[in-house]
Amino acid sequence: MIPVTSSFEMEKQVQSANTISKFQEFQNELNSQMCCRIVSTRKEDTTLVYEIKEHIMFGEEKNVIFTVLYNSDEVENDVELLPEKYILRRWRKDVRRAHTRIHR
């Protein structure tokens, strides 16, 4: 089992529910978030606009700026666990797969 790299409950949830390859993919995304910082914020009507700078250290090292729009009316706040709808059956490790059964 691949160990978790953060204290986020969501990472532990994905580790226990998903296949190793999907967990690694999730973990890489999560770890890349730790290299992000907010450059600026502004408010446009009911939407907050964030400019996020990510320092990418893999391959060619570079900085990338992302614009993130946040409307609190449309987003659930303080999400600690992934909603079940995002843990797809095909990525779960507790699913019985016909192609992995051994026939005698």
Side-chain angles (χ1 to χ4, degrees):
M1 182 181 291
I2 299 171
V4 295
T5 58
S6 72
S7 60
F8 293 113
E9 286 299 317
M10 190 181 297
E11 184 183 15
K12 294 174 190 170
Q13 175 194 21
V14 173
Q15 179 196 41
S16 66
N18 288 90
T19 62
I20 291 172
S21 62
K22 258 316 152 189
F23 173 62
Q24 285 177 315
E25 189 178 319
F26 176 86
Q27 197 174 49
N28 289 339
E29 277 297 314
L30 181 66
N31 290 335
S32 71
Q33 299 302 313
M34 295 178 194
C35 296
C36 293
R37 68 181 181 88
I38 298 173
V39 176
S40 67
T41 59
R42 67 182 183 279
K43 188 166 183 149
E44 295 178 2
D45 298 321
T46 62
T47 302
L48 288 173
V49 180
Y50 294 91
E51 297 289 322
I52 308 291
K53 182 178 185 179
E54 179 180 8
H55 183 73
I56 299 174
M57 297 176 284
F58 304 105
E60 182 184 331
E61 197 167 315
K62 59 185 174 182
N63 291 312
V64 180
I65 303 289
F66 297 95
T67 301
V68 178
L69 307 175
Y70 175 78
N71 185 332
S72 62
D73 294 337
E74 298 174 6
V75 177
E76 184 179 329
N77 291 318
D78 298 326
V79 176
E80 290 189 25
L81 294 175
L82 280 176
E84 282 296 316
K85 68 181 180 180
Y86 295 114
I87 300 177
L88 302 182
R89 187 175 189 281
R90 68 177 174 263
W91 295 336
R92 294 187 64 89
K93 62 181 169 184
D94 59 355
V95 171
R96 296 190 72 117
R97 292 170 176 81
H99 64 277
T100 60
R101 292 192 195 130
I102 298 173
H103 298 281
R104 295 181 186 178

